[in-house]
């Protein structure tokens, strides 16, 4: 069961950060973004991005003011029995079960299907490590959403080929359960308020992973985007990031990206795990 936020006396210092977020460098000729290919132990990502200045706002003490349906992200206290996240079997059994129960409790969904997870312990510039760079997977420092609207249905149909025609008639979501493995200092993760991001800022981009041909969003820069993070996020806290919602009356997606906090530039590489989930609701 998830818990109430920490008492004020136990919270980290609240601090906003002046930083840069990397946005897709749109060539302006209508061409699609360069595809990403993941497989065979490596990722190829040659999409051009440019840094843009933002202030990212610390939510510490104000966590309850943000929700999946209003903003596209939600922080909650949640202690896991798993601590090291080095045993794949333990992750895919006990920890997956914890994530399923957490999402059912938070969203009211009746069914949660986990389709993959990513453990990140590598350096900031891990993409440039060459072949087998996935063995040193690190933070993603480019603004993105994991699935476009069409990409979410592609994932649903890939995971549930026999049921998909019925499932698309009901509400379904894709939500990432993002947890630190150690308290986050270097390269914290930020999410953008869905209400500050127009669909016009989003550009569909192909991404193939281990044979699955999906589609995600890359992002055009817009000064109106409002970015948030939580200072010194601990392993007993999780960030829920909505990548998709078929309900058009609520926040449907939240941009996210790691960013550089200049005060912690020289610290050890960030450690985290994210679990990607299809969240299915009754009719």
């Amino acid at each position: 069961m998830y818990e109430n936020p920490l008492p004020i006396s136990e919270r980290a210092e609240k601090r906003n950060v002046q930083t840069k977020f990397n946005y897709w460098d749109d060539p302006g000729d209508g061409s699609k973004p360069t595809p990403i290919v993941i497989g065979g132990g490596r990722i190829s990502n040659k999409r051009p991005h440019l840094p843009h200045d933002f202030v990212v706002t610390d939510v510490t003490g104000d966590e309850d003011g943000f929700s999946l349906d209003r903003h596209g992200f939600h922080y909650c206290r949640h202690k896991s029995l798993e601590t090291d996240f080095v045993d794949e079997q333990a992750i895919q059994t006990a920890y997956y079960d914890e994530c399923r129960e957490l999402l059912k409790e938070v969203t009211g969904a009746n069914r949660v299907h986990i389709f993959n997870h990513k453990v990140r312990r590598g350096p900031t510039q891990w993409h440039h490590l060459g072949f087998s760079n996935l063995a040193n997977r690190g933070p993603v420092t480019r603004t993105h959403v994991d699935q476009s609207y069409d990409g979410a249905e592609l994932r649903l149909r890939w995971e549930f080929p026999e049921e998909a025609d019925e499932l698309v008639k009901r509400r379904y979501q894709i939500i990432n359960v993002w947890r630190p493995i150690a308290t986050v200092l270097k390269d914290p993760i930020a999410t953008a308020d869905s209400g500050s991001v127009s669909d016009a800022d989003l550009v569909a981009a192909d991404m193939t992973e281990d044979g699955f041909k999906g589609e995600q969003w890359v992002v055009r820069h817009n000064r109106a985007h409002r970015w948030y993070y939580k200072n010194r996020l601990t392993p007993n806290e999780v960030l829920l990031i909505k990548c998709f919602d078929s309900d058009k009356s609520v926040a449907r997606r939240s941009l996210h990206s790691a960013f550089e906090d200049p005060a912690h530039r020289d610290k050890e590489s960030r450690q985290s795990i994210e679990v990607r989930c299809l969240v299915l609701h009754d009719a």
Side-chain angles (χ1 to χ4, degrees):
M1 178 180 293
Y2 73 100
E3 306 166 4
N4 292 326
L6 283 169
I8 291 176
S9 61
E10 297 180 32
R11 291 175 187 160
E13 174 190 358
K14 188 182 184 76
R15 55 187 296 274
N16 300 339
V17 178
Q18 177 74 50
T19 189
K20 296 179 185 293
F21 286 96
N22 296 309
Y23 283 79
W24 181 55
D25 184 13
D26 187 350
D29 60 5
S31 58
K32 292 192 67 174
T34 306
I36 288 177
V37 178
I38 304 172
R42 71 185 303 265
I43 178 172
S44 174
N45 185 349
K46 298 180 180 180
R47 291 176 186 158
H49 284 67
L50 292 174
H52 295 272
D53 291 324
F54 281 88
V55 173
V56 57
T57 301
D58 184 4
V59 305
T60 299
D62 302 315
E63 298 93 330
D64 285 350
F66 299 90
S67 70
L68 288 168
D69 282 351
R70 284 181 293 159
H71 305 91
F73 62 92
H74 173 64
Y75 288 90
C76 55
R77 294 276 295 168
H78 182 268
K79 187 173 183 177
S80 174
L81 295 177
E82 183 64 34
T83 57
D84 298 327
F85 297 97
V86 294
D87 184 332
E88 281 294 307
Q89 183 175 0
I91 292 172
Q92 294 184 36
T93 54
Y95 188 60
Y96 275 19
D97 286 344
E98 291 178 351
C99 291
R100 290 187 189 98
E101 292 308 309
L102 172 64
L103 285 176
K104 287 179 182 179
E105 186 172 358
V106 171
T107 68
N110 64 300
R111 184 178 177 190
V112 175
H113 171 77
I114 295 172
F115 55 89
N116 67 38
H117 72 274
K118 311 293 183 187
V119 174
R120 302 183 186 275
R121 291 189 168 94
T124 305
Q125 302 302 328
W126 64 283
H127 283 97
H128 305 300
L129 295 178
F131 194 77
S132 297
N133 56 4
L134 287 182
N136 295 285
R137 190 191 301 268
V140 177
T141 56
R142 299 174 178 183
T143 59
H144 67 286
V145 183
D146 293 11
Q147 287 83 25
S148 67
Y149 299 151
D150 289 341
E153 184 171 336
L154 288 173
R155 174 56 76 175
L156 182 75
R157 291 187 177 280
W158 177 269
E159 300 295 327
F160 298 105
E162 303 299 326
E163 300 179 65
D165 286 346
E166 289 301 317
L167 293 176
V168 295
K169 299 175 184 177
R170 311 172 192 172
R171 185 184 185 187
Y172 70 98
Q173 303 164 296
I174 297 180
I175 298 173
N176 293 353
V177 180
W178 197 98
R179 180 189 297 273
I181 296 173
T183 297
V184 174
L185 296 175
K186 184 180 176 68
D187 297 329
I189 189 170
T191 47
D193 178 358
S194 177
S196 71
V197 181
S198 167
D199 279 353
D201 298 334
L202 306 175
V203 181
D206 293 336
M207 184 176 73
T208 299
E209 182 172 10
D210 297 326
F212 168 67
K213 294 182 178 181
E215 187 179 82
Q216 61 177 183
W217 295 124
V218 296
V219 191
R220 295 187 179 101
H221 171 249
N222 189 324
R223 293 176 60 190
H225 297 168
R226 297 190 298 272
W227 286 97
Y228 298 89
Y229 89 117
K230 189 173 189 299
N231 184 28
R232 293 178 179 266
L233 198 67
T234 74
N236 290 336
E237 299 170 288
V238 295
L239 168 61
L240 304 181
I241 306 171
K242 186 190 289 186
C243 295
F244 172 78
D245 199 322
S246 62
D247 185 345
K248 297 180 181 180
S249 70
V250 300
R252 301 192 70 194
R253 70 289 181 275
S254 176
L255 313 183
H256 48 284
S257 174
F259 68 93
E260 182 182 90
D261 182 340
H264 302 299
R265 181 183 293 125
D266 299 324
K267 295 294 194 300
E268 293 182 0
S269 297
R270 190 193 77 196
Q271 299 186 60
S272 62
I273 179 171
E274 64 209 59
V275 176
R276 279 86 175 268
C277 309
L278 271 161
V279 180
L280 309 174
H281 297 256
D282 285 332

